[in-house]
Amino acid sequence: MRVEPQQLKAFLLDAGLVAEPEFDKALKFAKKKNQWVGDVLVSRGLISQEALIRLEAYILGVPFVNLEKEKVSPEVLRIIPEPIARSHNIVSFRKKGKNLEVAMLDPKDLKTIEFIKKKADLKILPRLTTPKSIKNVLGQYQESLQAEFSELIKKEAKGIKEIREEKAVSEGEELAKQAQELPIIRIVETLLKHAILQRASDIHIEPSEKEVLVRYRIDGILHDAMTLPAQTKSGIVARIKVLSNLKLDEHRLPQDGRFKIESEQYKYSVRVSILPVFNGEKVVMRLLPETAKGYTLEGLGLRDEALERVQQALRRPTGMILVTGPTGCGKTTTLYSMMEILNTPGVNISTVEDPIEYRMPRINQTQVNPKIGLTFASGLRALLRQDPDILMVGEIRDAETASLAINAALTGHLVLSTLHTNSAAGAIPRLIDLGVEPFLLSSTLNLVLAQRLVRRLCEEKEKYKLTKTELNEISKYCELKKIEEILKEEKILKKKKSLRDIWFWRPKPSKECPEGYKGRIGIYEVLAVTESQKELIVKGATSDEIEKRGREEGMRLMIEDGFLKAAQGITSIEEVLRVIIE
């Protein structure tokens, strides 16, 4: 929804809000940048955003509402599910009888209005509002959910106690009964719903003597989410075991399972790990969105020469590409993005994974199962008899898998895999330690990509310049001159200036963005195995020597890529140092 420029101009001039020359200049600039002229007027301070939106509402004949300080009733708020509210910038704020007033940024979005009308069975009355109003109301979903959950726990914990006191039965029967209790089912469902709405990747359920602690991992950081009464402990674990098809009466051994949850808004595969601990059984659930597709290398954070090096390696029909880094740094997502590029009708792509995180069309994916002897090595051996062009091995863990992967790359296949090393150069000595001959490695390895994930700053962030003390601290972890060179190459830093002359950003916590961060992006170093690198590998060079040669050939270290993204306002220096130093 945007008012036509000439129509907007007429109303602005009539109201005396903007002078004609100013409007014409803004319109010329807007056309050049492919922007709406109203946004340009606001950015130049010629009119406030609220005044502009009020004028739009008047022109369109839609009532305007300001909700920047409005507290919405939880019952009314939840009429529109949070994912819909966020994706379409629409919130419900008032209900009278069968009428529901909704605030929107685009009252012409008839498709969304019709969807809510059918879902809620109410008459929808659209109102135009400001982005700040939408932001304020969206922030109330979290408060509403917390209140809903607290009320549920109080109510259901009492119900659990009453059910338990009815009669004593055998342990297996008791656990099966607990897993089917309505209070327990509601608690587990709410736990999962709460985690998904908060964009959590993992749920940790940790028992202690007096309570059960629930923590969510959001953007790579664990946060305390809630505590549950101790009497819910066995019932929650039993319910998760039933969903995952695990043994209810097994408490001494670890168990792994999987189940799915879906609604109109989402579809997730949940990977479950249960481990015996001192106070019971700890549960960790990994939430894998089945709809998560369409990642691109650019979207993950690869840029410029690093991106070009990866693309060149993917164009080669044979050899090996490795992605390295610690657990949880996004290696698998990077591999899936590479396979998305390679996945064409002319090739056969096969994988052996543990676990299969996302299902991809036209790709033959095999799940490792050590209980029946299906390991990475045996799976890879079988895949080589399946006439593959491209192989993806989830992880190189042992000498046998390393040897098979190298031989596959040597015999005309393109092999993608991951390795646990701290740097790109460190992958080469690691493979040699696993028994790979240096001359074979130099003949097959095309590229090593090392990565970490840093949290993205929210739109609202705090600007600052580095002090001398901060620069001295940072210099312990990187070469400041090299950072300055990179920023000058990217035209972020002027030629005769230093790091103290440019702006960086810190997180600015807000109601909508409590920690000042939302989402993550990768920082990378990409080591291309050139002819000179091959000579070093054959000579048995150390990782330091390999890294030094890579830097001479234009490789940027992860910390340097991180500083570039910090200078661009994508992340903060503190966040880059956190993932590099830890």
Side-chain angles (χ1 to χ4, degrees):
M1 181 280 301
R2 300 278 78 165
V3 174
E4 289 298 319
Q6 293 309 316
Q7 190 180 16
L8 181 63
K9 179 180 180 179
F11 275 91
L12 286 171
L13 296 182
D14 284 349
L17 294 171
V18 177
E20 187 170 6
E22 291 173 329
F23 185 93
D24 290 341
K25 281 182 186 177
L27 181 59
K28 187 177 178 181
F29 181 83
K31 286 178 179 176
K32 186 178 177 182
K33 296 291 183 180
N34 196 27
Q35 294 179 0
W36 182 55
V37 65
D39 292 334
V40 176
L41 292 169
V42 171
S43 67
R44 293 185 173 186
L46 297 171
I47 186 172
S48 71
Q49 189 172 58
E50 183 174 332
L52 179 68
I53 293 173
R54 282 182 182 275
L55 186 60
E56 282 186 87
Y58 177 75
I59 294 170
L60 294 167
V62 177
F64 172 84
V65 63
N66 187 326
L67 302 175
E68 289 178 24
K69 296 180 181 178
E70 189 86 10
K71 180 72 176 172
V72 179
S73 155
E75 293 75 22
V76 173
L77 184 68
R78 289 198 293 265
I79 291 172
I80 300 178
E82 187 178 3
I84 298 293
R86 289 189 181 278
S87 60
H88 295 276
N89 286 310
I90 179 170
V91 292
S92 48
F93 66 95
R94 190 176 297 129
K95 181 177 176 288
K96 290 182 181 177
K98 294 291 283 183
N99 293 335
L100 180 68
E101 291 185 66
V102 299
M104 313 175 67
L105 297 184
D106 182 4
K108 289 184 178 177
D109 184 359
L110 302 178
K111 189 176 177 182
T112 301
I113 292 171
E114 188 61 28
F115 171 80
I116 295 166
K117 180 183 175 182
K118 286 180 181 177
K119 183 175 177 59
D121 192 24
L122 296 168
K123 183 181 178 183
I124 306 301
L125 306 176
R127 307 287 184 250
L128 190 60
T129 192
T130 63
K132 283 186 179 178
S133 292
I134 293 286
K135 193 173 180 181
N136 170 51
V137 180
L138 287 176
Q140 294 176 37
Y141 273 96
Q142 181 65 21
E143 298 168 15
S144 167
L145 199 55
Q146 289 280 12
E148 176 194 12
F149 200 86
S150 299
E151 192 59 36
L152 176 74
I153 292 301
K154 284 178 193 173
K155 179 178 157 189
E156 306 302 1
K158 185 182 176 185
I160 290 164
K161 191 174 181 183
E162 289 170 356
I163 291 168
R164 300 284 154 77
E165 289 172 353
E166 284 181 7
K167 60 177 180 178
V169 292
S170 70
E171 185 192 23
E173 291 173 339
E174 169 65 14
L175 288 171
K177 182 182 175 185
Q178 288 178 27
Q180 301 304 322
E181 290 170 3
L182 194 56
I184 286 292
I185 291 171
R186 284 178 180 158
I187 288 173
V188 172
E189 283 178 352
T190 309
L191 262 177
L192 289 163
K193 172 187 165 188
H194 197 176
I196 288 166
L197 291 177
Q198 288 197 56
R199 303 175 300 103
S201 61
D202 301 84
I203 304 172
H204 289 238
I205 301 173
E206 303 168 348
S208 64
E209 188 179 350
K210 295 181 180 178
E211 61 188 15
V212 179
L213 174 64
V214 179
R215 299 197 287 170
Y216 293 157
R217 188 177 293 281
I218 302 168
D219 293 334
I221 307 292
L222 273 172
H223 302 270
D224 287 1
M226 62 203 71
T227 54
L228 307 176
Q231 67 261 36
T232 65
K233 179 167 56 179
S234 59
I236 288 171
V237 175
R239 178 63 188 165
I240 293 167
K241 284 182 177 180
V242 166
L243 290 172
S244 312
N245 199 25
L246 300 177
K247 293 179 181 177
L248 279 172
D249 56 354
E250 177 57 78
H251 308 294
R252 298 169 302 166
L253 295 172
Q255 294 191 74
D256 295 316
R258 200 177 185 119
F259 65 92
K260 289 186 180 183
I261 51 170
E262 57 182 288
S263 72
E264 291 177 2
Q265 288 82 42
Y266 52 75
K267 186 176 181 181
Y268 277 76
S269 179
V270 183
R271 196 173 86 218
V272 176
S273 172
I274 297 179
L275 179 73
V277 293
F278 184 76
N279 288 301
E281 291 172 281
K282 179 188 173 185
V283 179
V284 175
M285 293 186 280
R286 168 67 57 88
L287 303 174
L288 302 167
E290 294 204 341
T291 52
K293 293 178 183 176
Y295 286 115
T296 63
L297 295 175
E298 295 93 329
L300 295 177
L302 277 161
R303 302 279 190 274
D304 307 323
E305 191 174 345
L307 175 62
E308 179 57 32
R309 287 182 176 189
V310 174
Q311 289 171 334
Q312 283 178 0
L314 290 172
R315 286 194 285 268
R316 297 178 68 174
T318 64
M320 179 184 283
I321 297 173
L322 289 175
V323 181
T324 76
T327 301
C329 74
K331 298 188 296 296
T332 303
T333 301
T334 301
L335 285 184
Y336 276 99
S337 301
M338 290 179 180
M339 288 196 292
E340 192 83 34
I341 295 168
L342 296 167
N343 191 8
T344 61
V347 295
N348 172 17
I349 304 178
S350 296
T351 76
V352 55
E353 307 172 57
D354 184 23
I356 296 170
E357 294 202 5
Y358 305 115
R359 292 181 184 173
M360 299 185 74
R362 301 181 66 91
I363 290 181
N364 309 292
Q365 296 173 268
T366 302
Q367 167 73 52
V368 164
N369 189 349
K371 291 177 183 176
I372 58 170
L374 181 54
T375 61
F376 278 116
S378 62
L380 181 53
R381 195 179 291 109
L383 288 184
L384 288 169
R385 296 192 287 271
Q386 289 280 311
D387 185 33
D389 298 293
I390 298 164
L391 291 163
M392 192 276 263
V393 183
E395 185 185 339
I396 294 177
R397 295 179 181 173
D398 52 49
E400 188 180 4
T401 308
S403 175
L404 285 165
I406 289 289
N407 283 315
L410 203 60
T411 54
H413 305 91
L414 181 62
V415 179
L416 313 177
S417 192
T418 70
L419 202 62
H420 282 94
T421 62
N422 290 326
S423 66
I428 292 163
R430 173 67 182 139
L431 285 170
I432 292 170
D433 287 344
L434 286 172
V436 177
E437 293 291 345
F439 73 91
L440 288 176
L441 192 54
S442 68
S443 303
T444 55
L445 191 59
N446 295 342
L447 178 131
V448 185
L449 182 151
Q451 68 178 71
R452 300 289 188 278
L453 290 176
V454 293
R455 291 179 291 171
R456 284 178 178 269
L457 287 166
C458 297
E459 286 182 24
E460 286 187 34
K461 48 201 170 192
E462 184 182 325
K463 211 184 218 187
Y464 76 104
K465 287 186 178 179
L466 290 167
T467 64
K468 189 175 180 181
T469 306
E470 287 170 327
L471 284 167
N472 288 337
E473 184 64 25
I474 291 165
S475 67
K476 296 175 186 177
Y477 309 106
C478 59
E479 296 177 32
L480 296 183
K481 284 186 180 178
K482 186 65 180 175
I483 300 287
E484 287 180 355
E485 284 174 22
I486 291 168
L487 296 181
K488 283 172 184 175
E489 283 173 25
E490 298 291 335
K491 297 182 180 177
I492 293 171
L493 184 62
K494 290 182 181 176
K495 281 189 178 176
K496 294 181 180 177
K497 300 289 183 179
S498 71
L499 280 173
R500 290 185 68 178
D501 298 309
I502 63 169
W503 293 105
F504 287 93
W505 283 265
R506 290 192 183 104
K508 186 179 180 182
S510 64
K511 196 173 190 179
E512 171 72 7
C513 207
E515 295 196 343
Y517 294 102
K518 189 172 185 180
R520 290 191 286 177
I521 192 169
I523 57 174
Y524 302 91
E525 60 188 42
V526 180
L527 178 70
V529 182
T530 60
E531 290 302 319
S532 64
Q533 290 285 14
K534 289 178 182 180
E535 290 172 13
L536 287 178
I537 293 169
V538 171
K539 289 176 184 175
T542 64
S543 60
D544 287 342
E545 291 168 331
I546 292 165
E547 185 176 285
K548 184 180 177 184
R549 180 64 57 83
R551 284 170 69 69
E552 288 169 2
E553 295 175 346
M555 179 181 82
R556 288 179 184 172
L557 300 182
M558 276 182 287
I559 195 165
E560 293 164 356
D561 187 36
F563 258 84
L564 175 58
K565 288 181 169 79
Q568 292 168 334
I570 297 169
T571 189
S572 66
I573 291 174
E574 292 82 1
E575 183 66 8
V576 173
L577 294 177
R578 178 184 70 82
V579 300
I580 294 292
I581 297 166
E582 67 180 8

